[in-house]
Amino acid sequence: MAAGAGRSASANGEAGAAAPGRAMPEAVRLHLGSELKAFYAAVLAEAPPTALLDLIVRLEVHPPAAADFRAALLDALPGLRAFALSLAVAPNAADDLVQETLLKAWANRHRFEPGSNLKAWLCTILRNQFYTECRKRKREVEDADGAFAAKVVAPAAQEASSDLRRVWQHLGKLPPAQREALVLVAAQGMTYEAAAALIGCQVGTMKSRVSRARAFLVGSLGMEAREAAS
């Protein structure tokens, strides 16, 4: 799926990325994984924006199949928004991506094969839209001011972990391709094979992106030094 979507190094933001160094200590990897899972759970727990819910409700449904498809879109909305945030980082930009994805999915619902993976189909539409916008702007969406963490973190989640807010802030500094790979594998718990199939890349490429993203976050957060000192 999504073959050709954002494949170039410039579009994916992987040019010049440093290769990860020595093997990461298991305790550090597990701690980072727990923080990323908390990140994803907090995003899923957020109520979707009213504008997106209203958009789905306003979709006209005449045949019963259309009503079923609209209900499926509503069920998929939290996960789709979480995936959009892993790419766009800024909440407003992510919601714009989701809105465009919902409209395109609705207009092309006759192309969706019933019984197949709706999430994969929607994510393909969303990431194609994201990388198309990146190419138009010729720059990557970043969160240099930490606006993503400030707007998305739920108060309860902030209190649950002292690292969580910092993890979210540093996620915005990763290239989009590495960020989405890390969120899919480390936060959502997908296998490398499933994540690679979802975004249309080789399994080895997916493993490399996740490894680089983990190494960057661990280095940025000083997790190895803290683990050694404990």
Side-chain angles (χ1 to χ4, degrees):
M1 292 183 188
R7 289 290 185 82
S8 69
S10 59
N12 280 337
E14 292 191 301
R22 61 185 175 81
M24 183 181 301
E26 181 69 6
V28 174
R29 188 183 67 81
L30 291 175
H31 179 60
L32 177 60
S34 69
E35 298 299 335
L36 290 167
K37 286 182 173 66
F39 152 76
Y40 187 66
V43 174
L44 287 181
E46 283 196 333
T50 302
L52 294 178
L53 293 173
D54 289 346
L55 173 65
I56 296 177
V57 171
R58 290 198 306 269
L59 296 174
E60 294 184 8
V61 289
H62 296 299
D68 291 342
F69 189 80
R70 185 178 70 174
L73 289 181
L74 191 61
D75 290 340
L77 183 56
L80 187 63
R81 185 166 182 261
F83 183 68
L85 283 165
S86 75
L87 283 171
V89 180
N92 289 341
D95 290 345
D96 288 345
L97 271 177
V98 173
Q99 178 174 303
E100 188 65 25
T101 299
L102 292 173
L103 291 174
K104 286 188 175 182
W106 185 255
N108 292 279
R109 62 188 183 278
H110 59 284
R111 297 183 179 180
F112 176 70
E113 183 178 346
S116 60
N117 192 330
L118 177 63
K119 177 182 178 180
W121 189 67
L122 292 172
C123 286
T124 296
I125 296 173
L126 188 146
R127 72 189 308 273
N128 284 346
Q129 179 65 24
F130 172 76
Y131 285 116
T132 295
E133 292 178 4
C134 279
R135 287 191 293 271
K136 286 181 180 179
R137 292 192 303 267
K138 295 184 179 179
R139 64 179 176 83
E140 294 173 1
V141 178
E142 295 185 352
D143 184 43
D145 297 326
F148 171 57
K151 294 180 180 178
V152 181
V153 175
Q158 291 183 52
E159 296 171 1
S161 170
S162 60
D163 282 338
L164 187 55
R165 184 180 179 88
R166 294 176 62 225
V167 167
W168 288 9
Q169 289 172 333
H170 285 286
L171 273 175
K173 300 175 183 178
L174 284 167
Q178 292 181 23
R179 188 165 57 242
E180 69 172 333
L182 187 65
V183 168
L184 289 173
V185 173
Q188 295 192 38
M190 295 181 69
T191 64
Y192 288 112
E193 291 76 12
L198 177 64
I199 68 174
C201 71
Q202 298 296 318
V203 175
T205 300
M206 175 60 61
K207 289 182 177 180
S208 175
R209 290 175 181 175
V210 172
S211 179
R212 289 168 183 264
R214 277 178 173 151
F216 172 81
L217 286 182
V218 167
S220 299
L221 296 167
M223 285 184 171
E224 287 195 71
R226 289 164 55 190
E227 179 68 20
S230 62

